[in-house]
Amino acid sequence: MSLLPFAFLVLCFELLPLLVMVLESFRGDGGVGWGLDQYTKALTSKYYLLGLSNSFFISLCASAVGIVVALFAAYSITRFSQRTRDFLLMLSNMTSNFSGVPLAFAYIIILGSNGLFTLLFKQLGWTTLASIDLFSWFGLVCVYVYFQIPLAILLLYPTYYGIHQQWRESAALLGASTVQFWRYIGLPVILPGVVGTFSILFANAMGAYATAYALVGGNYNLIAIRIGSLVAGDVAARPELAGALAVILAITMVTAMLINEWMMRRVRRELG
C-alpha cells in the first residue's frame, strides 16, 4: 500500500504522457487518420536529420570531455580528507543541478559578446575570448560540459573505492610502477563504471532543452529545440510530428545506453 502514491505518480507523469506521445506519433496531421506519415517526414527530411546529427555530435563531445575531466577530478577527491571530500561532493551535487535557463544566462553574462570576462580581457589586450562564439556548437559544448563534469564526478567517485589498498601494496612489492598498476589493475576495475557513466552523460546531453534554447534559441538546429517548436510553434503546432521526433530521439538514447550496457557486460565477462 505504501507504494501506491509512487505508482500513481509514475503512471500519471511518466507512463501516460509516454503513451500519449507514442500514439500521437502515429496520427496524421491535425489528428486525422493513422499511419507512419510522421515517421516518414522525420526520417526523410534533411532538416530534422541534421538536428538529430547535431544533437548526437554535441552530446558525444560534451560527454567525452566530461568523462575525461571527471576521471581525474573524482580520483583527486578520494585523496582528500573526509571533511574536504564531503564539501567537494556537495559542491558537485549543487553544480550538477545548475542547468537550464539560469546556466545559459550566466554564460552569456560572463562569456558573451559583451560579457564580463570578455570585456575585461579585451581591456587587458587579450582578445582570445572575443573570438569565441558562445552561440555556436562550441558554446553549446562548453555549457553542456559545465553540468556534465559534476554529474560524472558523482557517478565515478564510488568506483575508485573498488580498488583496494592491498592491490596497490601487492603491485608495488612485485615491482609494478604506478602506470603499470593503473593500466593492468586500476583501469580495468573502473572501466565498467566509466562506460555506464558515459551512457548517462550522453542521454543527459541529448535530452537537454532549456539550456540550449535559452542560449541559441532557434538559431541552431537541435532535435530537442525542433520538438519544442513543433509543440508550441508560433505559426502552427504539429504535435504529431513532434511525437515522432521524440520517439526517434528516445530510440537513439535507448540504443546508445543498450550498446554501453553490452560493452559493460563484455568487460565484466573478460575481467571475470
Side-chain angles (χ1 to χ4, degrees), residues 69-85:
V69 175
L71 273 172
F72 295 96
Y75 176 73
S76 299
I77 292 176
T78 63
R79 314 305 296 175
F80 290 104
S81 64
Q82 182 63 46
R83 184 176 180 180
T84 306
R85 288 201 302 267

Side-chain angles (χ1 to χ4, degrees), residues 118-209:
T118 304
L119 296 178
L120 176 62
F121 289 166
K122 187 177 181 180
Q123 290 293 327
L124 297 175
W126 301 343
T127 58
T128 303
L129 288 180
S131 62
I132 297 177
D133 185 6
L134 187 62
F135 309 101
S136 63
W137 73 269
F138 180 78
L140 285 170
V141 170
C142 292
V143 175
Y144 280 23
V145 165
Y146 179 90
F147 58 81
Q148 294 282 63
I149 291 177
L151 177 60
I153 290 175
L154 293 174
L155 296 174
L156 287 176
Y157 172 76
T159 62
Y160 283 102
Y161 286 96
I163 304 175
H164 302 290
Q165 183 63 29
Q166 296 88 336
W167 299 350
R168 299 174 182 267
E169 296 172 354
S170 300
L173 289 174
L174 293 173
S177 63
T178 302
V179 175
Q180 289 174 324
F181 170 79
W182 282 106
R183 179 181 178 184
Y184 296 106
I185 300 176
L187 287 179
V189 170
I190 67 173
L191 187 57
V194 173
V195 174
T197 300
F198 182 83
S199 66
I200 295 175
L201 295 182
F202 180 81
N204 186 42
M206 282 288 290
Y209 169 74

